[in-house]
Amino acid sequence: MATTAYRKFPRRQEIERIEYTPGALKTREIPARVYKGFNLKMAITHTNGGAPAITLWALLQMISSLQIVLGGRDTQMRIPFYALFYLNSVDFGIESNYSLHNGAGVQGTSYVTAYLPFAFLRTVLPEDSLLDVRNISASIYCEWGAAANLTALGAASVDSGQLEICPIEYADVNPVRPTARHEITFDSVPLSKVGDNHVKLEYGPGNQYYRIALFAKTAAGVLSNAQLDNVSLFSSSFYFYKQTDAAAIRDQNKREYRIDPTTGLYLLDLITDGKMSQRLDAGPLSELKLNLDAAAAGGTVDIIKQKGI
């Protein structure tokens, strides 16, 4: 698909920030424009006790998930905040900014930043996918986490917080220009036994995968490299990944992305050299499955599915 260079520009807080309420699902409308992505900053103000030990992982749990919903019912994106942060690290080759307040007995603010992409990242023509909501209603949903994520690590109280949303827009986009849809969804599946754990993935029209990310966790919910031995991705007798050593996947990820993936992350890339034409088209398939060969039972794997539709 041919592409045109459009003017892009950031806006600070064009979308009203979302205030923190423990465990609540809150939403804001997205203005009717064309977007490349959203710069996000979550800031949590908390008063610490005498021996705080606030961690990045705990801070990331303060947002359970983010969603982009079109027309009131069509979920284009749904992703845990922690997964977005760590996928940003491999896509940009650097960790996003964050700061942890661990001053004893005083109030302060911890924050973390992330980027929610609508244009494809690491592809030849990223502008082939934009979020164009000029003719449809759109909302961003923020599912806040529990205050216990921080109070369990020494915060005496969580006093306030917010999610700031700074869009990156495109101007002068032809209203009839076709764009692909960048879809992100996730499922959390249990590793119920040692050995093979089969997971059915969506197939049929509208399912064109360009990457699948696996975040493996222990039974305690901690990211771990020791949960998976091998990974397979297949349809009937055809394998896209066949009993691929999990450690080898991480080694390949390090070479391709030039950064160590965070613990427990395995990236199944389904395109070559950023060419979206090579994505896995599950439209004509009769099935699509993952096999997660578990080294230990009782953990979980969060499966992040990225599609170009």
Side-chain angles (χ1 to χ4, degrees):
M1 181 186 298
T3 188
T4 302
Y6 299 113
R7 292 189 297 115
K8 68 177 184 290
F9 50 96
R11 291 177 182 263
R12 178 169 175 78
Q13 295 188 20
E14 176 70 11
I15 299 174
E16 182 184 358
R17 69 185 185 182
I18 302 176
E19 300 292 342
Y20 175 69
T21 300
L25 180 65
K26 291 193 168 183
T27 183
R28 292 290 183 268
E29 290 187 6
I30 299 173
R33 297 191 178 94
V34 181
Y35 298 96
K36 178 185 180 184
F38 288 168
N39 285 314
L40 306 172
K41 180 180 180 180
M42 176 186 66
I44 303 292
T45 298
H46 51 98
T47 301
N48 289 338
I54 307 301
T55 64
L56 173 60
W57 177 254
L59 183 61
L60 290 169
Q61 307 310 305
M62 294 300 287
I63 293 180
S64 298
S65 69
L66 295 171
Q67 300 179 49
I68 299 295
V69 178
L70 306 181
R73 59 182 180 180
D74 180 10
T75 301
Q76 177 172 336
M77 293 187 172
R78 180 170 176 260
I79 186 170
F81 191 66
Y82 87 85
L84 180 63
F85 178 86
Y86 288 123
L87 288 176
N88 284 172
S89 295
V90 292
D91 282 327
F92 294 107
I94 191 170
E95 201 168 55
S96 296
N97 288 334
Y98 69 92
S99 177
L100 304 175
H101 165 53
N102 274 307
V106 295
Q107 186 184 72
T109 299
S110 296
Y111 74 82
V112 61
T113 62
Y115 177 71
L116 184 64
F118 303 124
F120 296 125
L121 299 175
R122 301 178 64 86
T123 58
V124 174
L125 298 174
E127 292 170 349
D128 277 354
S129 65
L130 302 173
L131 180 64
D132 186 348
V133 294
R134 289 174 293 184
N135 296 306
I136 189 171
S137 64
S139 301
I140 180 169
Y141 286 77
C142 175
E143 182 181 3
W144 287 106
N149 287 301
L150 300 188
T151 57
L153 296 178
S157 63
V158 174
D159 306 318
S160 63
Q162 64 274 331
L163 176 67
E164 296 180 6
I165 307 164
C166 299
I168 299 176
E169 303 177 14
Y170 277 107
D172 305 324
V173 178
N174 188 328
V176 298
R177 177 186 185 273
T179 60
R181 168 182 168 128
H182 183 188
E183 184 174 291
I184 304 175
T185 59
F186 88 95
D187 294 306
S188 185
V189 299
L191 296 175
S192 57
K193 60 180 180 178
V194 173
D196 293 345
N197 292 263
H198 290 290
V199 181
K200 294 181 179 180
L201 301 180
E202 301 89 354
Y203 61 91
N207 289 288
Q208 300 181 28
Y209 297 80
Y210 81 91
R211 185 168 69 183
I212 297 173
L214 308 175
F215 287 90
K217 303 177 185 177
T218 66
V222 178
L223 291 172
S224 171
N225 292 339
Q227 291 297 112
L228 296 177
D229 281 336
N230 300 287
V231 176
S232 296
L233 176 65
F234 62 97
S235 177
S236 298
S237 60
F238 185 86
Y239 282 78
F240 304 95
Y241 282 76
K242 185 173 183 179
Q243 293 181 326
T244 307
D245 179 72
I249 293 174
R250 288 180 52 82
D251 289 343
Q252 182 65 17
N253 293 161
K254 181 178 179 178
R255 285 189 290 271
E256 290 189 349
Y257 290 93
R258 296 178 176 84
I259 188 174
D260 277 317
T262 191
T263 300
L265 172 58
Y266 306 84
L267 294 165
L268 308 184
D269 277 310
L270 300 166
I271 63 173
T272 304
D273 298 326
K275 298 174 182 177
M276 290 298 293
S277 60
Q278 297 180 357
R279 61 192 182 274
L280 192 167
D281 183 0
L285 302 182
S286 60
E287 67 172 7
L288 185 63
K289 292 182 179 180
L290 270 172
N291 183 49
L292 306 174
D293 179 8
T300 59
V301 174
D302 287 347
I303 304 172
I304 313 299
K305 295 163 285 186
Q306 294 182 262
K307 303 176 185 178
I309 299 172

